[in-house]
Amino acid sequence: MLSSISRLGNVAFAKSAFSWQSDLDTIFRILSNRFDGFNDNGFYAHPDEVALRRELAQVPTLAHLTEALQGLRAHGVVLYGLGLADLPEDRRNAALYALTLMLGYPTSTDQRTGRVAWDVRARPVEQGSERFTTFSERVGSADMHTDSSFYPMPEEQFILYVVNAARCDGGHSLLIDAEDIYRTLQETAEGRAAFELLSTTPVPFRVPAVYAAGDANVEVHVATVFGPTTRPGARFTMRWRYDSIEKGIAARPDLVTPELRAALALMNDVAETKAARFKDQLPTDTLMLVDNHHMLHGRTTYTDERRHLIRIRISDVPNAERIGPSGVVRD
Ligand SMILES: [Fe+2]
């Protein structure tokens, strides 16, 4: 299924060594039977997703690929040559939806449309609009973060699929493993104290969806940066998005002490500059699978506006069992 497997810490790299053959047609047929239209090719969290997943598990390529990806037991997987380049959007997104449903339960990334597949690409800024632009809509860099950090149940995983690689000097994808965050924090007394504090003291994350609603409507979610993990071999889970925390603190300064602010600033320095990181320009037709609880991700600035990725977030539990919103923000 996979070849040329190598590892860099908890990130695994592989080339695909299979061909989809008629299985892409089978996937498309199964989804066409189950969906009333593909929601502008963004799909939606299917109401019968548990049954649909069982049906898709009968497609050999899909089942074997899922097994191979999970068998790597990595916090991040970079798979080159997934084999979806040049497909029309509906077929490509159908394959990505099917794959993510095999890995878990894809969540809606956009509350208004319910879209599961989100296009990560530059969007023109509407004139006179004060709408909050999220990381995925800007051409600029994205600070290191975990997705949905300001919600009760951040999705456990997400995929990025590269439709069009950036053909410029930038647009690198960045990943930092939780172990490298931990290792860096343990190097100094301040870092060890910060880790302890951020493991025990909740901090306010401001919910970006209401940024645009004005200050009258501030909503924060309070949680620790480092939390307990249920995954064997992992030390902790992470929630991190410094800009959301800074805005949370501005809204609720009563929730933080000077020590906590200092610990957060130190963690930001570790995430932005100090910790070892994977940094690469992913080529077209690459799939990246990321453990959103055990990896930070980000992106460097780019100028090629044709750079285009698809992102789908994946929950471990079916959508019907999830607490709180999924998506809203497209970070
Ligand atoms: Fe993100």
Side-chain angles (χ1 to χ4, degrees):
M1 215 55 201
L2 308 179
S3 67
S4 316
I5 298 171
S6 63
R7 283 174 195 269
L8 194 69
N10 277 323
V11 184
F13 305 86
K15 287 185 184 149
S16 75
F18 65 91
S19 140
W20 291 90
Q21 296 181 353
S22 62
D23 280 359
L24 286 175
D25 293 334
T26 310
I27 291 166
F28 195 74
R29 194 181 63 243
I30 291 172
L31 295 189
S32 299
N33 289 337
R34 289 272 189 171
F35 278 87
D36 296 334
F38 288 165
N39 192 19
D40 205 14
N41 295 332
F43 292 83
Y44 49 84
H46 197 277
D48 289 325
E49 58 187 357
V50 176
L52 176 53
R53 184 190 202 177
R54 276 197 298 269
E55 196 178 342
L56 288 167
Q58 303 303 313
V59 183
T61 310
L62 209 44
H64 291 143
L65 176 58
T66 306
E67 235 175 70
L69 290 171
Q70 290 172 334
L72 291 170
R73 307 213 174 283
H75 290 170
V77 176
V78 178
L79 174 59
Y80 301 105
L82 182 60
L84 306 180
D86 306 322
L87 284 183
E89 186 187 49
D90 55 352
R91 297 211 159 228
R92 178 192 71 217
N93 288 4
L96 294 174
Y97 177 80
L99 177 60
T100 51
L101 185 54
M102 292 296 292
L103 293 163
Y105 298 93
T107 62
S108 294
T109 203
D110 185 69
Q111 206 171 41
R112 192 173 53 83
T113 62
R115 282 181 79 91
V116 158
W118 184 255
D119 292 299
V120 180
R121 62 180 160 202
R123 279 163 216 275
V125 176
E126 295 157 38
Q127 279 295 317
S129 161
E130 289 180 28
R131 204 171 63 84
F132 176 68
T133 39
T134 60
F135 286 149
S136 64
E137 293 176 304
R138 286 183 246 147
V139 183
S141 61
D143 292 346
M144 301 307 296
H145 65 283
T146 58
D147 273 11
S148 306
S149 54
F150 28 74
Y151 286 134
M153 291 178 75
E155 290 85 347
E156 283 81 359
Q157 305 178 85
F158 67 86
I159 61 146
L160 285 173
Y161 172 75
V162 185
V163 180
N164 255 321
R167 286 173 182 83
C168 59
D169 287 340
H172 300 79
S173 295
L174 303 168
L175 292 175
I176 304 179
D177 184 42
E179 275 304 302
D180 287 312
I181 294 282
Y182 182 77
R183 202 171 299 133
T184 310
L185 285 171
Q186 293 303 308
E187 281 170 4
T188 63
E190 294 81 11
R192 289 191 290 275
F195 178 75
E196 198 49 39
L197 202 56
L198 297 177
S199 301
T200 50
T201 315
V203 298
F205 291 77
R206 186 165 171 182
V207 181
V210 294
Y211 289 359
D215 285 342
N217 213 350
V218 175
E219 191 187 322
V220 299
H221 179 76
V222 178
T224 56
V225 171
F226 301 113
T229 182
T230 51
R231 188 189 254 251
R235 214 182 282 275
F236 50 79
T237 61
M238 294 189 292
R239 277 176 194 258
W240 183 251
R241 190 166 153 170
Y242 195 51
D243 68 333
S244 163
I245 296 172
E246 283 187 307
K247 290 181 171 78
I249 292 173
R252 294 293 308 274
D254 55 305
L255 293 177
V256 292
T257 59
E259 293 74 30
L260 190 54
R261 283 177 196 256
L264 290 162
L266 193 147
M267 169 62 188
N268 183 50
D269 188 38
V270 165
E272 292 305 317
T273 64
K274 296 231 160 55
R277 65 205 61 214
F278 162 75
K279 177 183 173 186
D280 204 7
Q281 269 182 327
L282 301 178
T284 295
D285 199 35
T286 301
L287 176 80
M288 187 160 87
L289 171 64
V290 178
D291 181 328
N292 188 45
H293 287 198
H294 301 95
M295 280 266 170
L296 302 181
H297 65 279
R299 173 188 79 216
T300 64
T301 309
Y302 64 100
T303 53
D304 182 359
E305 294 192 352
R306 284 162 304 176
R307 180 184 189 265
H308 180 196
L309 282 69
I310 306 278
R311 199 234 15 251
I312 300 179
R313 298 202 191 105
I314 312 165
S315 166
D316 275 4
V317 299
N319 281 282
E321 294 167 32
R322 285 179 57 76
I323 298 162
S326 300
V328 179
V329 70
R330 304 170 280 257
D331 63 335

